[in-house]
Amino acid sequence: MPAYASTVLNAPADEVWGYLRDFGNLAEWLPGITLCEFEEGDGSRPGTVRRLEGTGGTFRERLLTLDDVSRSASYEILESPLPVRDYRAVYRVAPVTDSGRAFVEWSATFEADDETRMTKTFTRGVFEPGLASLHKHFPD
């Protein structure tokens, strides 16, 4: 069961993607993250590794894809204090054609001994608060 959340932002998809394609700005908009820095690469291409620090501990993640055409990116967790394995996440921005707004979705697949609990942790503890905070950057 994948973790999943989505929202609609009051801004054009290209503008929202211009902000979210930055693999190094997570500390600006994800609640609980106090530091996001690159260990390898510069965030502009796959292979970049970022280190995140925050209330949940230290995470290391690698950018897998960055696609400006589909306005999507994917990444994997390399190290995490959470009990998950084979974590892969995707976030995507699409235009809402009848309103000019942006539809943003964030999802992840992973393995865990307690997948239900970890799905809830990522959905309610990471994705939903993160997407909600984007409304501050793109107010209604």
Side-chain angles (χ1 to χ4, degrees), residues 39-96:
E39 292 184 344
E40 299 173 27
D42 62 5
S44 66
R45 70 184 93 171
T48 295
V49 175
R50 69 183 176 191
R51 183 169 57 90
L52 308 170
E53 292 183 9
T55 55
T58 300
F59 293 76
R60 292 180 67 240
E61 300 173 337
R62 179 181 6 244
L63 182 63
L64 298 173
T65 63
L66 184 65
D67 187 339
D68 289 325
V69 174
S70 67
R71 294 182 211 87
S72 66
S74 64
Y75 64 93
E76 65 182 340
I77 290 178
L78 301 174
E79 294 177 23
S80 164
L82 297 174
V84 295
R85 302 171 301 283
D86 298 322
Y87 177 100
R88 303 260 188 307
V90 175
Y91 54 94
R92 181 177 75 91
V93 180
V96 178

Side-chain angles (χ1 to χ4, degrees), residues 2-21:
Y4 179 87
S6 63
T7 194
V8 176
L9 298 172
N10 191 29
D14 286 337
E15 181 181 337
V16 173
W17 174 245
Y19 184 71
L20 291 181
R21 77 177 307 282

